[in-house]
Short mmCIF file of all heavy atoms in Angstrom, two decimals:
data_model
loop_
_atom_site.label_atom_id
_atom_site.label_comp_id
_atom_site.label_asym_id
_atom_site.label_seq_id
_atom_site.Cartn_x
_atom_site.Cartn_y
_atom_site.Cartn_z
N VAL A 708 -15.54 24.45 -8.49
CA VAL A 708 -16.12 25.49 -9.34
C VAL A 708 -15.02 26.26 -10.07
O VAL A 708 -14.95 26.27 -11.29
CB VAL A 708 -17.02 26.45 -8.53
CG1 VAL A 708 -17.54 27.58 -9.40
CG2 VAL A 708 -18.17 25.67 -7.89
N ASP A 709 -14.16 26.91 -9.32
CA ASP A 709 -13.03 27.63 -9.90
C ASP A 709 -12.08 28.03 -8.78
O ASP A 709 -12.34 27.77 -7.62
CB ASP A 709 -13.45 28.83 -10.74
CG ASP A 709 -14.15 29.91 -9.93
OD1 ASP A 709 -14.15 29.86 -8.70
OD2 ASP A 709 -14.72 30.83 -10.55
N GLY A 710 -11.00 28.68 -9.17
CA GLY A 710 -10.01 29.08 -8.17
C GLY A 710 -9.47 30.46 -8.45
O GLY A 710 -9.52 30.96 -9.58
N ARG A 711 -8.96 31.06 -7.41
CA ARG A 711 -8.33 32.37 -7.50
C ARG A 711 -6.89 32.19 -7.02
O ARG A 711 -6.64 31.72 -5.92
CB ARG A 711 -9.07 33.37 -6.61
CG ARG A 711 -8.45 34.75 -6.55
CD ARG A 711 -9.20 35.67 -5.60
NE ARG A 711 -9.43 35.11 -4.27
CZ ARG A 711 -8.54 35.11 -3.27
NH1 ARG A 711 -7.34 35.62 -3.45
NH2 ARG A 711 -8.85 34.61 -2.09
N LEU A 712 -5.93 32.56 -7.88
CA LEU A 712 -4.52 32.44 -7.51
C LEU A 712 -4.20 33.41 -6.37
O LEU A 712 -4.73 34.51 -6.32
CB LEU A 712 -3.62 32.74 -8.70
CG LEU A 712 -3.66 31.73 -9.84
CD1 LEU A 712 -2.77 32.19 -10.98
CD2 LEU A 712 -3.24 30.36 -9.36
N VAL A 713 -3.34 32.97 -5.48
CA VAL A 713 -2.90 33.80 -4.37
C VAL A 713 -1.55 34.38 -4.75
O VAL A 713 -0.61 33.63 -5.05
CB VAL A 713 -2.79 32.98 -3.07
CG1 VAL A 713 -2.25 33.83 -1.94
CG2 VAL A 713 -4.15 32.39 -2.71
N ALA A 714 -1.46 35.69 -4.76
CA ALA A 714 -0.20 36.36 -5.09
C ALA A 714 0.80 36.15 -3.97
O ALA A 714 0.43 36.11 -2.79
CB ALA A 714 -0.44 37.85 -5.31
N PRO A 715 2.08 36.02 -4.31
CA PRO A 715 3.09 35.88 -3.26
C PRO A 715 3.10 37.13 -2.37
O PRO A 715 2.81 38.23 -2.83
CB PRO A 715 4.41 35.77 -4.02
CG PRO A 715 4.06 35.62 -5.45
CD PRO A 715 2.64 36.01 -5.64
N GLU A 716 3.40 36.92 -1.11
CA GLU A 716 3.44 38.04 -0.17
C GLU A 716 4.63 38.94 -0.49
O GLU A 716 5.72 38.47 -0.79
CB GLU A 716 3.56 37.53 1.27
CG GLU A 716 2.32 36.84 1.76
CD GLU A 716 2.44 36.44 3.20
OE1 GLU A 716 3.24 37.06 3.94
OE2 GLU A 716 1.73 35.51 3.60
N THR A 717 4.40 40.22 -0.39
CA THR A 717 5.47 41.19 -0.58
C THR A 717 6.34 41.21 0.67
O THR A 717 5.83 41.32 1.78
CB THR A 717 4.89 42.60 -0.83
OG1 THR A 717 4.05 42.53 -1.98
CG2 THR A 717 5.99 43.62 -1.05
N VAL A 718 7.65 41.11 0.47
CA VAL A 718 8.57 41.14 1.60
C VAL A 718 8.95 42.59 1.85
O VAL A 718 9.41 43.29 0.96
CB VAL A 718 9.84 40.30 1.30
CG1 VAL A 718 10.83 40.40 2.44
CG2 VAL A 718 9.46 38.86 1.04
N ARG A 719 8.71 43.04 3.07
CA ARG A 719 9.05 44.41 3.44
C ARG A 719 10.21 44.38 4.43
O ARG A 719 10.21 43.60 5.38
CB ARG A 719 7.86 45.11 4.06
CG ARG A 719 6.68 45.19 3.13
CD ARG A 719 5.69 46.23 3.61
NE ARG A 719 4.48 46.21 2.83
CZ ARG A 719 4.32 46.86 1.69
NH1 ARG A 719 5.31 47.55 1.20
NH2 ARG A 719 3.18 46.80 1.05
N ARG A 720 11.18 45.25 4.20
CA ARG A 720 12.32 45.33 5.10
C ARG A 720 11.96 46.17 6.31
O ARG A 720 11.34 47.22 6.19
CB ARG A 720 13.50 45.99 4.41
CG ARG A 720 14.05 45.18 3.28
CD ARG A 720 15.34 45.80 2.80
NE ARG A 720 15.83 44.99 1.72
CZ ARG A 720 16.28 45.48 0.58
NH1 ARG A 720 16.33 46.77 0.40
NH2 ARG A 720 16.70 44.70 -0.35
N ASP A 721 12.38 45.72 7.47
CA ASP A 721 12.20 46.51 8.69
C ASP A 721 13.35 47.51 8.84
O ASP A 721 13.17 48.59 9.39
CB ASP A 721 12.15 45.60 9.92
CG ASP A 721 10.90 44.74 9.94
OD1 ASP A 721 9.88 45.18 9.35
OD2 ASP A 721 10.94 43.67 10.55
N ALA A 722 14.50 47.14 8.39
CA ALA A 722 15.69 48.00 8.51
C ALA A 722 15.93 48.72 7.19
O ALA A 722 15.55 48.22 6.13
CB ALA A 722 16.90 47.16 8.88
N PRO A 723 16.54 49.86 7.24
CA PRO A 723 16.85 50.56 5.99
C PRO A 723 17.86 49.76 5.16
O PRO A 723 18.68 49.00 5.70
CB PRO A 723 17.43 51.88 6.45
CG PRO A 723 17.84 51.69 7.86
CD PRO A 723 16.99 50.59 8.42
N LYS A 724 17.78 49.94 3.85
CA LYS A 724 18.70 49.27 2.95
C LYS A 724 20.11 49.83 3.15
O LYS A 724 20.30 51.03 3.28
CB LYS A 724 18.26 49.48 1.51
CG LYS A 724 19.11 48.73 0.52
CD LYS A 724 18.57 48.89 -0.88
CE LYS A 724 19.47 48.16 -1.86
NZ LYS A 724 19.01 48.31 -3.22
N VAL A 725 21.08 48.93 3.17
CA VAL A 725 22.47 49.34 3.36
C VAL A 725 23.07 49.61 1.98
O VAL A 725 23.03 48.74 1.10
CB VAL A 725 23.28 48.25 4.09
CG1 VAL A 725 24.73 48.65 4.23
CG2 VAL A 725 22.66 47.94 5.43
N GLY A 726 23.62 50.81 1.79
CA GLY A 726 24.28 51.17 0.54
C GLY A 726 25.69 50.62 0.49
O GLY A 726 26.29 50.31 1.54
N ARG A 727 26.26 50.53 -0.69
CA ARG A 727 27.61 49.99 -0.85
C ARG A 727 28.66 50.78 -0.06
O ARG A 727 29.61 50.21 0.45
CB ARG A 727 28.00 49.99 -2.33
CG ARG A 727 27.24 48.99 -3.14
CD ARG A 727 27.55 49.08 -4.64
NE ARG A 727 28.91 49.42 -5.00
CZ ARG A 727 29.92 48.54 -5.13
NH1 ARG A 727 29.71 47.28 -4.89
NH2 ARG A 727 31.12 48.95 -5.48
#
Side-chain angles (χ1 to χ4, degrees):
V708 176
D709 63 11
R711 177 183 51 82
L712 292 178
V713 177
E716 290 184 24
T717 302
V718 177
R719 299 197 187 275
R720 294 189 180 135
D721 292 333
K724 184 176 178 181
V725 178
R727 290 175 36 86

